[in-house]
Amino acid sequence: MKSIKKISFGIMLLAISLIGCERWGGRVDNLDSDRPTDVGPEYGKRGNGGSTDLGTLYGDLLYILRDADGLPVYTDDGFVQPLAFVDGVPLTDDGTLEGVQYVCAVNDEGEVELNFYMDGDEKKAYDGVGPMEVEFGRTSIFRSPQRVMDQAIREALRGLSEADPTTIRLDFCGRLYGLRPDGTEKTVDSPRENMALYQNMMENEGFSGICDICAELNLNHLHDFFYNWQEPWMHVAAGCLAAANDKTGTVSVDKVRYIHSFKNLIGLNAIEDDLNNLYFDFSIFTSYDRNMWRDIELGFLVWNGAYNTEPIEVLSVWDIFESSIPGFGYGTQPSFTYHSEHNWFKTTNIGGFAQFADDCNQILEYVHGDSNIIWVKEQNEE
């Protein structure tokens, strides 16, 4: 029995060594891989057989140093550079999120040296310094085989086709929403369906792929809706990503880039990093204005324990999240967070896209946490 255990343990160590020997700055000893065999080529290559030499996509994925396009900033040896954290807080030059964040020290094999960080070209010791993993939560569904996504987008469109196309719009947090002929609501809230819609929009850089599937399913009224819809498609995509994310989670630049890597999602006009790996070009995302939340209103149905059929107070999302308002007895006032790049608010490129999706995520979490908070729709939306 002991010999069998030794053999099994030896096989496990061999498997780990084979998986963990990639040339990947930020590799730690417990990397593993659960990459399915049928999810397509690895990230950053067109066609079959490509690999960016960044290591397994399905092991531990860390926050790394990136440029304004969200592309990795490599060491001279071609390794990515994991950002340095201490107890989940970024290590910065002034001890705050607003300072320049340091990166972990990486040895000649591309492995993180725990308790060391780089100050320019100088390696310094600091107790507790290490990398931090990106948490994917429900968005991990994107790692599923492509057939799962293909089925999900068809389910999403069949469900949305139940709504009167004249009522379809984005709801209070960016999800696809409409009213059925009987007045009941239809919201696309499934993480799987939202990730499938997200993938299709990003692959085709617009609604054309969705239109093709609507035509295939004979959903002609929905085809005509998407074909003529003037809503910025990247806003719709960001809303889908937010709806797929954990309600208590966040959306960051690193999460967006890694999610794209799961499906080699590089769009129609990919950009290259310094190692000639291909990435989606988020520079086409040109505008996010937080003032948009001033036009979206939420209502409160309960006041001091008395139930009401109509809101007793109506506030814009902006007022709830950014203004100093009384508590109203509805719990802690939420606030917009800053996850696009350290603690700096972004409005364009991948930083703005991640910020928009994260704001949608925070609003969904706030409303979802209390059934007495409702989206106040204008009369012409009913």
Side-chain angles (χ1 to χ4, degrees), residues 26-317:
R27 183 177 69 80
V28 288
D29 291 339
N30 65 342
L31 266 182
D32 59 4
S33 177
D34 59 355
R35 185 176 186 272
T37 59
D38 58 346
V39 295
E42 291 186 44
Y43 184 43
K45 299 292 182 183
R46 299 186 190 275
N48 295 320
S51 173
T52 64
D53 221 18
L54 293 185
T56 172
L57 295 173
Y58 292 86
D60 301 321
L61 298 173
L62 310 176
Y63 289 93
I64 64 174
L65 185 64
R66 298 178 182 274
D67 65 16
D69 292 313
L71 306 187
V73 177
Y74 298 103
T75 65
D76 292 338
D77 295 325
F79 298 124
V80 297
Q81 304 179 72
L83 297 175
F85 289 82
V86 180
D87 294 329
V89 178
L91 180 66
T92 60
D93 59 1
D94 60 358
T96 73
L97 287 174
E98 296 181 357
V100 176
Q101 187 170 347
Y102 293 113
V103 298
C104 294
V106 175
N107 66 21
D108 293 339
E109 300 299 322
E111 299 169 330
V112 171
E113 296 186 45
L114 300 179
N115 300 317
F116 288 93
Y117 69 97
M118 298 303 299
D119 186 358
D121 295 328
E122 183 179 358
K123 183 169 72 173
K124 294 183 177 180
Y126 195 102
D127 187 43
V129 168
M132 191 167 81
E133 296 178 29
V134 177
E135 297 293 335
F136 294 96
R138 300 192 307 180
T139 58
S140 290
I141 190 67
F142 211 35
R143 303 181 182 198
S144 302
Q146 184 56 44
R147 63 178 179 275
V148 175
M149 295 294 104
D150 293 341
Q151 179 185 26
I153 192 170
R154 284 162 175 75
E155 291 175 0
L157 294 174
R158 287 191 185 99
L160 191 62
S161 71
E162 298 172 5
D164 180 344
T166 64
T167 68
I168 297 175
R169 65 201 72 237
L170 300 181
D171 74 357
F172 64 91
C173 62
R175 297 177 299 181
L176 284 165
Y177 161 95
L179 293 175
R180 299 182 180 89
D182 63 2
T184 57
E185 298 180 347
K186 171 59 186 177
T187 303
V188 180
D189 55 8
S190 160
R192 186 171 62 102
E193 293 177 8
N194 275 291
M195 285 309 303
L197 289 164
Y198 178 82
Q199 179 186 14
N200 190 283
M201 281 183 274
M202 301 307 271
E203 282 181 341
N204 296 282
E205 297 189 9
F207 301 126
S208 63
I210 291 177
C211 289
D212 290 343
I213 296 175
C214 288
E216 170 196 324
L217 299 176
N218 294 318
L219 305 177
N220 297 326
H221 60 299
L222 201 57
H223 169 278
D224 294 344
F225 168 78
F226 279 107
Y227 185 82
N228 294 293
W229 203 19
Q230 297 303 304
E231 190 74 29
W233 72 266
M234 291 199 79
H235 283 201
V236 182
C240 288
L241 180 58
N245 199 43
D246 288 7
K247 292 183 176 64
T248 57
T250 59
V251 180
S252 65
V253 168
D254 289 86
K255 176 177 282 190
V256 173
R257 278 297 183 203
Y258 285 138
I259 284 174
H260 277 236
S261 75
F262 296 160
K263 294 293 187 188
N264 194 36
L265 191 52
I266 59 177
L268 302 177
N269 299 284
I271 56 176
E272 294 185 357
D273 67 10
D274 291 340
L275 297 184
N276 303 122
N277 302 311
L278 300 177
Y279 296 80
F280 187 94
D281 183 6
F282 278 92
S283 67
I284 59 177
F285 186 80
T286 58
S287 63
Y288 169 43
D289 184 357
R290 261 189 178 161
N291 281 317
M292 64 176 286
W293 301 110
R294 296 184 187 277
D295 298 326
I296 299 177
E297 296 180 326
L298 301 176
F300 301 88
L301 300 178
V302 177
W303 182 251
N304 290 335
Y307 287 87
N308 299 272
T309 57
E310 296 295 329
I312 54 89
E313 188 76 29
V314 174
L315 296 169
S316 74
V317 168

